[in-house]
Amino acid sequence: MKRIFDAVILLPRNLLVLLLRGYRAVVSPLYGDVCRYYPSCSQYALEAVQEHGATVGSALAAARVCRCHPWAAGGVDDIPRRRRFRYRVTPFGFVVGATRKV
């Protein structure tokens, strides 16, 4: 039952992960390396959604995109980390419930 609950709760987050992965695979290579920050804005958005969820992660990503303009100084700009991350991330980037050994 917990797995079903986790899947439903994590669905919006994983839909955004899928959308961002698609953007990074199709659109991002067309622009090349133009972001002034490291990690790039799309990678920042992906990590923010994975770490903080759909709502807060999207807000963090939007704020980052607003900071990324031609007059920005740039540099390293990592996402704020949570104290405790209770899920795990698959190799593709989906967020799934943590498995515990009994």
Side-chain angles (χ1 to χ4, degrees):
M1 191 66 164
K2 174 126 174 66
R3 286 183 166 205
I4 295 170
F5 180 73
D6 280 346
V8 170
I9 292 296
L10 296 173
L11 184 63
R13 184 182 305 205
N14 286 327
L15 288 175
L16 280 176
V17 166
L18 186 62
L19 182 70
L20 287 164
R21 290 290 301 227
Y23 173 84
R24 289 180 51 79
V26 176
V27 178
S28 192
L30 298 175
Y31 286 110
D33 192 17
V34 295
C35 191
R36 296 184 174 278
Y37 289 100
Y38 178 83
S40 68
C41 291
S42 60
Q43 180 65 31
Y44 183 94
L46 181 63
E47 290 177 15
V49 168
Q50 288 171 331
E51 181 91 11
H52 295 282
T55 306
V56 174
S58 296
L60 287 169
R64 166 65 179 274
V65 169
C66 289
R67 287 194 310 267
C68 189
H69 52 77
W71 303 279
V76 176
D77 182 23
D78 292 321
I79 64 165
R81 297 289 177 189
R82 296 179 70 119
R83 289 185 185 164
R84 191 177 132 238
F85 186 65
R86 63 182 186 183
Y87 301 110
R88 65 182 179 84
V89 179
T90 66
F92 182 77
F94 288 134
V95 180
V96 295
T99 56
R100 295 183 184 181
K101 291 188 177 185
V102 178

